[in-house]
Structures are given as structure tokens and as C-alpha cells.
Amino acid sequence: NAGVTQTPKFQVLKTGQSMTLQCAQDMNHEYMSWYRQDPGMGLRLIHYSVGAGITDQGEVPNGYNVSRSTTEDFPLRLLSAAPSQTSVYFCASSPLQGSQNQPQHFGDGTRLSIL
Amino acid sequence: RKEVEQDPGPFNVPEGATVAFNCTYSNSASQSFFWYRQDCRKEPKLLMSVYSSGNEDGRFTAQLNRASQYISLLIRDSKLSDSATYLCVVNMPGGFKTIFGAGTRLFVKA
């Protein structure tokens, strides 16, 4: 019963490097999302998707790209890492009901440090 | 003004105490509301949904006041295991954006 799986759990990058954070869910949820969480702040939505082939921007999309080629996977790409992107990243998924997403299931998070 | 605001706390209470958290939201058309719990360095987990008529789950009671645009969470008979950060969560209208409050930290002491 995997739920939402994120890899890697920890990563250290140098400024300017690129990388992809992986997220997969096995619950057949239509909705998937990426958040970042910084000390003293709530989770901030980066990008989200309501189904394969459909993505949209959240509150803080700059510096990140996403794609949704399958229902199960929703990778997050950092194009050119910057120290300001040091954060904990959470992926989440939920079913959709009408025009509202339902309570989300979260992965364990990826702790990313940019030097 | 932030879209979802919470008192950051921390709230320090003894075991057995009753504690209440409030949360305000800015968009009056918001339709779905939740409370999540987050333990230190862990992922958020759904505590309960918040319904217009108010709802209870054991020691936890959630209330929604649409006129004043605030949500509350009441915890009765606090346990040591209730120590965590409680996140107020609002689904924005007209789309699929979910906004999290910054969280209220609770410490329950023996």
C-alpha cells in the first residue's frame, strides 16, 4: 500500500545544477500537486495537475517545470538550482469531485539543499 | 493580506486541557476547508474536514463561520500525542488551488 512515493528523500546540489524530483502515486488519483515548505511558513503550491496532459501554475512556479504524461507520475524539474530553492518539497495527490479537489495524501518529502 | 492566516503560537498546555485554534481566510467564495496535522519533519496528514454545520471526531471539533470567514479547531482533553503543528487548509474557488496556513504549533506537557 505505497500511496504517494517521492524520491530522493535527500539531495544536495550546487547552484546552477538541474535535477528532477520524482513523485508517483498508485491510488489512481486525478489530482497531483507539488508544494515547498520553508521554516515558519506554510506549504506553498508550486504546480498542480488535474489529469494526464494537464498542468497549471500554483503560487510559486518560477524556476520549476512539471509534466504529467501518466496518471501515476508527476515529476518536478529544477531548471537551474538556486540557494533560494533550498526547501522541503512535498508531492500530494487526491481524487477529484466535481470542481473541487478532495483532501490530499502526501509523500514523505524531499529535503533539498542548494549550495 | 495572506489568503489563510493562523496564529503561529506556540500554544503550551498541560495534559487534559482544552485548546482552540482559529484560522481566517480571505476569499469569501472558498468552499472546502480542512485541518491537517504535521509532526516535526513529517508530511502533513488530514485531521478532519470542516463542514458548514460543524463536525466532531472524538476529542476534536471543527467549526466554520462563513459570515466572518473563519474556521476553528477545538481539542478537548489534550494528550501528549497531540503535540504537533496544526494546518488550516482552504480550497480556492474556481479552480484547484489549495492554500495552506503557516500552522499553529501545539505543545502538550505532562
Side-chain angles (χ1 to χ4, degrees), chain A residues 90 106-109 111, chain B residues 37-39 41-45:
Chain A
F90 288 103
F106 283 82
D108 292 342
R111 284 159 179 75
Chain B
R37 170 192 169 127
Q38 186 174 26
D39 293 295
R41 300 179 67 80
K42 298 285 190 180
E43 75 276 18
K45 293 184 178 179

Side-chain angles (χ1 to χ4, degrees), chain B:
Chain B
R1 180 185 175 185
K2 292 182 181 178
E3 292 182 278
V4 178
E5 293 201 69
Q6 296 182 249
D7 181 343
F11 285 62
N12 292 285
V13 302
E15 273 188 293
T18 296
V19 61
F21 307 138
N22 288 330
C23 165
T24 58
Y25 59 96
S26 61
N27 193 319
S28 60
S30 300
Q31 297 180 10
S32 303
F33 310 91
F34 310 96
W35 284 101
Y36 280 68
R37 170 192 169 127
Q38 186 174 26
D39 293 295
C40 188
R41 300 179 67 80
K42 298 285 190 180
E43 75 276 18
K45 293 184 178 179
L46 177 69
L47 179 66
M48 58 196 303
S49 302
V50 185
Y51 302 119
S52 296
S53 55
N55 48 299
E56 189 173 303
D57 183 0
R59 298 181 293 108
F60 300 85
T61 300
Q63 301 235 326
L64 169 63
N65 184 320
R66 286 191 181 274
S68 300
Q69 293 177 219
Y70 81 77
I71 308 151
S72 64
L73 177 68
L74 183 76
I75 305 175
R76 292 181 298 278
D77 189 22
S78 298
K79 311 292 185 190
L80 294 176
S81 57
D82 293 334
S83 296
T85 297
Y86 291 83
L87 306 173
C88 174
V89 181
V90 178
N91 277 353
M92 293 291 108
F96 300 94
K97 293 184 181 179
T98 298
I99 305 298
F100 283 72
T104 299
R105 190 74 175 91
L106 172 66
F107 293 97
V108 181
K109 299 186 182 298

Side-chain angles (χ1 to χ4, degrees), chain A residues 31-44:
Chain A
Y31 184 89
M32 295 187 74
S33 56
W34 277 102
Y35 296 86
R36 61 177 288 174
Q37 185 173 34
D38 302 297
M41 302 183 70
L43 282 76
R44 290 183 292 168

